[in-house]
Amino acid sequence: MITLRNLTLRRGTKVVLNQTNLTLNPGEKVGLVGHNGAGKSSLFALLTGKLQPDAGDCELPARWRLAEVEQTMPETQDGATDYVLQGDTRLMQAEAMLAAAEAADDGHAMAEAHHELAEAGVFDARSRAQALLMGLGFKLEQLDAAVNSFSGGWRMRLQLARALMCPADLMLLDEPTNHLDLDALVWLEAWLQRYDGTMIVISHDREFLDAITKVTVHLDEAQLTRYTGNYSAFEELRAIRIEQAHAAYGKQQERIAHLQKFIDRFKAKASKARQAQSRVKALERMERLAPVLTAGDFSFEFREPLSLPNPMLSFDDVRCGYRTVEGETTIVRGFSRSVLAGQRIGILGANGQGKSTLVKTVARALPVLGGQIIEGKGLAIGYFAQQELDVLRLDEGALAHMIRLARDAGPLGQDTREQALRDFLGNFRFGGEMVHQPVGSLSGGEKARLVLAMLVWQRPNLLLLDEPTNHLDLQTREALSMALNEYEGTVMLVSHDRALLREVCDELWLVAGGSVKPFDGDLDDYQQWLLEQSREAARAAKAARTAGETAAAPKPSPPPPAATSENQRADRKQTAAARQKRADEAKPLKAELARLEQRMAETTALRDRLIASIAGPDTPQAERAEQGRQLKQAREELEAIETRWLELGAQLEARAGE
C-alpha cells in the first residue's frame, strides 16, 4: 500500500504538494493526470526516493521492487537483448550470487543461487526479453545489435523494455507512449493490462489511459485527488464535483451577504446589537469556501485559407525515399492518388515503413525519387515535423520567432505590428514577458504551442502533421482536435493518438510493404489487423528459432551393425523390463506431482482471493489484518509447493533419461 499523509513537497520556491493525502492499494492501476508543470514527475521522484518530503510522510512497502523508465539515453556496446535482460533485477542478483558462490567454492551457496536463478525464470529469460523487444517494434536482426547503433527514439524503447523486464511490485511509467508508433502502443496496452502489480502512469493519451487504468489521481493546485475509474470517468466525476463546488460557493456567498447586511443595518441599534453580534460570530466561525479555480480552457483556430485548390495534390507513380552519397534508398514506390480539398487523411503504419518519408516528400523536405507530385495552384503547406521543436532558435523568444516569420512569409492579410503579434501569441498562452523568454527554457508543451502558433499564422490550406501531440497535454490535444475539425483545408495526419485520429480523420491510408493503400476499415479494424500481424510474426520467429536449433543439433550416430534376431529379442525383452521398472518407480512420484498441482491451484486461487479482498475499499481494517496473515501463509505454502514440484519434475526427467 502507498500512503501519503499531510505531505508537503517543494521544488525550489514552488510548492508542488501542500499537506496532501493519498492512499493507493496493491495491484491498482493508476493514471496520474494534471497540466504540464503541475509536478507529476516530481511525485515520481518522491516515490523512488530521489526526493524527500519537506513535511509529512510517504510510505511504501519496504520489500517492494520498483521499476521505472530511465529518461537518460543509454550509451553502451551491449547487445539489445543483453541490455534488456539487465533490467531483471532479481535475475541479476541471482547471477551475482552464483558468481560469488563459485568464487568462494561454496557448494551450499551455489545450490541456493541455482534455486534463485530458477525462481527468477533464468531458463526463459532471454526469450522473454526478446518478446518484449519484438512487441515494441524491433526486428529479429536487431535483437543482438549494439545499443549505441540505435537512434534516440529506439534507445528510449530499449529503456521501456528494460523497465518492463523488471519483476516489479510497483511500476512507474512517465509518458511511455511518446516514442511509440500505433503498432507498438497497441502491444504495450495489451501487456500492461496483463501486468498484476501496482502501476502509476503519466500519459496524455486518453484512449491509452482508458484502456489500462482503473483509478485516476488528479494533481491540481498542489493537491492530489483520487477518483475511481479511468480517465473518461474522471472527467465526468470532476465535472460534477466542480459544479457542486460552484453551487456550494454561490450559496455561501449569498449567506454571507445576508448576514453582513443584517450586521450593517442593526449593529448600531441597541435593541438589535446582541443579534448583530451573534451574526458577527457566525461569520467568524464560517469556514470560507474558496472559489473554484481551474486551469483556463485553451482553444485556438486555424484561420481561413486564402485559397482552396482542388485537387490539392496529385501523385503519379511516385517513389519516396532518401538520396545519399552511396545512392538512392526507396521506401515507398508506385504511389498514384489524388488529395482533394477538405479531406482528412490519417496515415497508418509501423515505424520504418515510410509514413514520415511520405510526409517529408509532400512537404518538399525530401526530393521525389521517381514519378511526379503535381501541386494545385496556390498550394500553401503547413508542416509540423517530429523534430520541429529542435529547429526552433533556442536563444530567442516567441515574439522574435513571430517577427521573423511575419517578415519572411509576408503579411498574409494579417496585422504584422509588434502589438498585434503579441496579441496573437497571447491566444496561445504566451503573455507578458513570457514572449521574450528564450525558447530553450520552455517546456516541450510550450514549444509545441509556439510551433502551432507559427503554423496558424501561415494560413496553410494543406496541413501535414507528423506526431504533433508528443509534447501536448490533454487540454491542448483537445484544442488541436477542435481546431482541426473546424479547419476548412486538407489534413494529412500521422499520429499514435487514437482519440485524435478518430475525431479528425474520415479516411485512412496504410503504409506497409513499400506501398501506400487505402485502409478499408476504422481504427478498431486496424488494431485487430495489427494483432493478427503480430501473431504471424511470433509464429515466424518461433519457426526460425526451431529451424536454427534443428540445424545446430548434433547428427545422430550411425546405427550399429544388425544383430541376430535372437539377440534382438533378448534386448527388446530387457528394454521392456527396464521401462516397466521405471514406470513402476515413477507412479508414486507422478501421483504426488498430481496432488501438488491440485494443491498449487487451490493455494493460488486462495492467494488471489485474499489479494482482491485486501485491496477492496469495503474490507474492515481488522479483517484486512487477518487476511494479510493468511496471505503470508498462503505465499509461504505456495513457495514450498513449487519447490517440491520442481524437485519431482527433475526426478521424473532424470528417470525418463535413464
Side-chain angles (χ1 to χ4, degrees), residues 339-358:
V339 177
L340 306 178
Q343 274 188 293
R344 304 283 197 275
I345 301 167
I347 303 176
L348 309 176
N351 271 8
Q353 292 297 312
K355 304 187 301 295
S356 294
T357 303
L358 173 63

Side-chain angles (χ1 to χ4, degrees), residues 288-350:
R288 299 295 179 98
L289 297 175
V292 180
L293 300 175
T294 60
D297 290 336
F298 173 62
S299 64
F300 70 97
E301 60 182 19
F302 288 96
R303 301 181 178 186
E304 182 182 354
L306 296 175
S307 64
L308 284 175
N310 198 19
M312 290 271 180
L313 297 167
S314 292
F315 298 89
D316 183 13
D317 197 26
V318 169
R319 279 195 305 118
C320 304
Y322 297 88
R323 283 189 181 135
T324 63
V325 291
E326 288 84 14
E328 293 182 351
T329 301
T330 300
I331 298 177
V332 173
R333 59 173 54 83
F335 178 43
S336 298
R337 195 165 183 82
S338 293
V339 177
L340 306 178
Q343 274 188 293
R344 304 283 197 275
I345 301 167
I347 303 176
L348 309 176

Side-chain angles (χ1 to χ4, degrees), residues 56-83:
D57 299 308
C58 174
E59 296 179 0
L60 281 79
R63 300 185 66 179
W64 268 16
R65 282 190 177 89
L66 271 65
E68 63 173 334
V69 181
E70 294 290 340
Q71 298 302 310
T72 55
M73 199 68 68
E75 295 287 347
T76 175
Q77 286 297 322
D78 290 346
T81 302
D82 291 333
Y83 182 75

Side-chain angles (χ1 to χ4, degrees), residues 1 5 10 27 53 55 74 185 200 239 252 255 260 274 279 333 397 408 461 465 548 559 578 582 598 621 634-635 643:
M1 185 178 293
R5 292 194 191 90
R10 292 184 177 88
L185 191 153
I200 308 176
Q252 189 182 72
R255 175 67 175 157
Q260 192 64 51
R274 184 173 294 177
R279 282 162 174 75
R333 59 173 54 83
D408 296 343
N461 47 37
L465 306 177
R582 287 197 300 271
Q598 176 65 27
Q621 192 64 34
R635 283 174 169 160
T643 301

Side-chain angles (χ1 to χ4, degrees), residues 369-443:
L369 298 186
Q372 188 178 19
I373 299 179
I374 303 170
E375 299 181 352
K377 185 178 180 180
L379 180 70
I381 294 175
Y383 177 39
F384 189 114
Q386 285 195 57
Q387 68 275 18
E388 187 70 34
L389 306 187
D390 298 330
V391 300
L392 294 171
R393 299 191 182 184
L394 303 183
D395 58 340
E396 294 185 1
L399 182 59
H401 281 78
M402 289 303 304
I403 290 173
R404 186 172 54 258
L405 178 64
R407 183 188 65 231
D408 296 343
L412 299 173
Q414 299 166 97
D415 191 344
T416 59
R417 292 175 300 171
E418 182 175 320
Q419 187 57 50
L421 295 175
R422 282 177 173 271
D423 294 341
F424 177 79
L425 284 170
N427 296 327
F428 291 84
R429 290 182 173 171
F430 293 97
E433 289 304 306
M434 191 178 179
V435 297
H436 296 301
Q437 183 177 339
V439 167
S441 65
L442 299 178
S443 69

Side-chain angles (χ1 to χ4, degrees), residues 162-239:
R162 187 176 166 115
L164 299 181
M165 190 69 191
C166 179
D169 302 289
L170 172 62
M171 186 174 291
L172 303 176
L173 300 176
D174 191 348
E175 294 290 359
T177 66
N178 265 2
H179 298 278
L180 303 183
D181 55 15
L182 192 52
D183 307 52
L185 191 153
V186 170
W187 175 88
L188 177 63
E189 205 172 81
W191 193 95
L192 292 176
Q193 286 169 344
R194 297 191 300 271
Y195 173 66
D196 59 2
T198 304
M199 180 183 70
I200 308 176
V201 58
I202 299 171
S203 177
H204 296 307
D205 187 323
R206 172 194 297 272
E207 290 206 19
F208 181 69
L209 288 172
D210 277 351
I212 66 169
T213 63
K214 302 296 182 185
V215 175
T216 301
V217 173
H218 184 217
L219 175 52
D220 186 49
E221 300 294 325
Q223 292 294 314
L224 294 169
T225 307
R226 176 189 167 111
Y227 295 82
T228 299
N230 58 20
Y231 183 81
S232 293
F234 151 73
E235 279 196 320
E236 294 177 8
L237 292 170
R238 185 163 186 262

Side-chain angles (χ1 to χ4, degrees), residues 91-290:
L91 181 61
M92 293 300 104
Q93 289 167 2
E95 288 186 350
M97 283 176 58
L98 181 59
E102 289 175 342
D105 197 23
D106 186 337
H108 179 73
M110 280 189 265
E112 287 288 328
H114 280 294
H115 175 72
E116 284 297 317
L117 283 168
E119 288 289 301
V122 65
F123 302 110
D124 66 345
R126 193 168 188 84
S127 62
R128 285 188 286 119
Q130 293 181 341
L132 289 174
L133 288 169
M134 294 185 70
L136 291 173
F138 290 84
K139 297 181 174 63
L140 270 173
E141 59 271 19
Q142 295 176 306
L143 297 181
D144 293 311
V147 170
N148 284 349
S149 68
F150 294 101
S151 65
W154 286 96
R155 279 193 253 180
M156 292 311 296
R157 292 196 192 201
L158 285 172
Q159 295 286 45
L160 176 57
R162 187 176 166 115
L164 299 181
M165 190 69 191
C166 179
D169 302 289
L170 172 62
M171 186 174 291
L172 303 176
L173 300 176
D174 191 348
E175 294 290 359
T177 66
N178 265 2
H179 298 278
L180 303 183
D181 55 15
L182 192 52
D183 307 52
L185 191 153
V186 170
W187 175 88
L188 177 63
E189 205 172 81
W191 193 95
L192 292 176
Q193 286 169 344
R194 297 191 300 271
Y195 173 66
D196 59 2
T198 304
M199 180 183 70
I200 308 176
V201 58
I202 299 171
S203 177
H204 296 307
D205 187 323
R206 172 194 297 272
E207 290 206 19
F208 181 69
L209 288 172
D210 277 351
I212 66 169
T213 63
K214 302 296 182 185
V215 175
T216 301
V217 173
H218 184 217
L219 175 52
D220 186 49
E221 300 294 325
Q223 292 294 314
L224 294 169
T225 307
R226 176 189 167 111
Y227 295 82
T228 299
N230 58 20
Y231 183 81
S232 293
F234 151 73
E235 279 196 320
E236 294 177 8
L237 292 170
R238 185 163 186 262
I240 294 170
R241 181 174 290 191
I242 289 174
E243 186 177 348
Q244 291 172 341
H246 272 301
Y249 177 73
K251 288 180 181 178
Q252 189 182 72
Q253 291 302 301
E254 291 177 6
R255 175 67 175 157
I256 290 171
H258 178 74
L259 290 172
Q260 192 64 51
K261 183 177 180 181
F262 185 93
I263 292 167
D264 293 342
R265 183 178 179 186
F266 295 112
K267 65 182 176 182
K269 193 171 183 179
S271 61
K272 296 286 188 178
R274 184 173 294 177
Q275 292 173 332
Q277 189 61 34
S278 70
R279 282 162 174 75
V280 170
K281 291 180 179 179
L283 271 179
E284 291 173 350
R285 288 195 304 269
M286 187 179 294
E287 182 180 351
R288 299 295 179 98
L289 297 175

